[in-house]
Amino acid sequence: ITDEAIAHAIETADEEWTEKPVAENMREMMRSLNMILNPYLQYFYCTDELMAYLKRREKTRGEEVIEVENSLFEKYKNPDLNEKPEELSKRGGAHYSTAAFHLIAAIENDSQSPQVVCCRNNGAIPTFDDDVSVEVTALIGKDGAKAVPQPAPAPQIRGLMQAVKSYESLTVEAAVTGNREVAYQALMENPLRPNAINTRKLLDELLEINRPHLQGTFF
């Protein structure tokens, strides 16, 4: 029923992406790739349209999340709270608690049950380094997660995956070493970055804003 599922995703794209230009672009890519697209791919496949939409909003997503969390924390102060706060539906990750219970149960009972988790690649996805983190189906047991091997990604999606993974890997290296140049190289690997000079300015600004949290590294 894969073809039916993809056709349904294309047909109902307006429900996933309420901004019409964004939905149309994502629908176009789903037709071309014959795949159901992760919502985050909107940033890469229709960058201009999404930026225009975000700039029209009064608040950033980060500001909205802070407000939601502050409201949740206030409610959690009440020891008599016995129902799910409505704010949770606005926070995202609504089913993470269920996933966590399944994960704990699989480890405790060594059930080797298949679950989608972030784990070490170890050759599961060909063309990616063994030591990178990947989000894939893995067998969960008392020894942790073992990624299920799968075919190499097709070239039309592999390029974006490799670019983003390169950005992530370099970001980890920069965080561990405090190397400013590696942090710059990480940003330059991200497909959404501006030109080289403006990316340098962006890094300088980010590091300065976060100076209190960096404990003397990068400077």
Side-chain angles (χ1 to χ4, degrees):
I1 64 170
T2 300
D3 289 340
E4 294 178 28
I6 294 173
H8 179 73
I10 293 173
E11 181 182 346
T12 59
D14 294 294
E15 297 177 15
E16 180 66 55
W17 298 280
T18 55
E19 190 72 3
K20 186 174 180 59
V22 176
E24 287 302 315
N25 276 278
M26 299 304 284
R27 185 177 282 117
E28 181 71 16
M29 283 305 298
M30 284 193 284
R31 290 195 189 102
S32 178
L33 296 173
N34 197 37
M35 294 179 175
I36 297 174
L37 300 184
N38 182 300
Y40 284 114
L41 288 168
Q42 63 184 335
Y43 296 103
F44 302 100
Y45 290 150
C46 45
T47 308
D48 294 340
E49 293 80 4
L50 191 63
M51 282 299 297
Y53 163 68
L54 292 174
K55 287 180 178 178
R56 292 197 304 270
R57 294 172 62 88
E58 293 183 1
K59 299 176 183 177
T60 66
R61 174 59 179 160
E63 290 170 333
E64 291 175 348
V65 168
I66 289 174
E67 290 183 357
V68 169
E69 290 188 340
N70 286 339
S71 177
L72 281 171
F73 290 147
E74 282 300 313
K75 288 190 174 181
Y76 288 153
K77 290 178 181 178
N78 178 9
D80 299 321
L81 181 67
N82 58 7
E83 60 184 11
K84 175 182 174 182
E86 61 178 353
E87 288 89 346
L88 277 177
S89 62
K90 303 175 184 178
R91 176 60 183 87
H95 303 290
Y96 285 170
S97 56
T98 302
F101 280 120
H102 283 298
L103 189 71
I104 293 169
I107 294 172
E108 176 67 20
N109 299 306
D110 195 24
S111 62
Q112 300 298 313
S113 66
Q115 300 182 35
V116 177
V117 296
C118 291
C119 62
R120 186 182 172 96
N121 184 38
N122 282 344
I125 305 181
T127 74
F128 283 78
D129 295 336
D130 286 343
D131 65 345
V132 301
S133 174
V134 292
E135 186 175 8
V136 293
T137 300
L139 300 180
I140 310 297
K142 63 182 178 59
D143 296 321
K146 296 180 181 178
V148 175
Q150 54 189 279
Q156 57 267 38
I157 62 173
R158 186 191 309 164
L160 178 57
M161 291 172 66
Q162 288 282 14
V164 174
K165 180 50 66 180
S166 176
Y167 155 72
E168 292 176 347
S169 296
L170 286 168
T171 300
V172 171
E173 180 182 344
V176 171
T177 63
N179 189 312
R180 195 185 192 101
E181 204 58 30
V182 173
Y184 172 65
Q185 292 164 2
L187 285 177
M188 286 301 297
E189 284 297 299
N190 193 306
L192 300 176
R193 52 100 176 125
N195 63 35
I197 292 176
N198 285 334
T199 296
R200 178 76 73 181
K201 293 178 180 178
L202 174 62
L203 174 63
D204 292 342
E205 183 176 335
L206 284 170
L207 291 178
E208 188 58 39
I209 290 173
N210 290 282
R211 181 186 284 266
H213 310 292
L214 296 176
Q215 299 179 343
T217 57
F218 297 104
F219 300 102

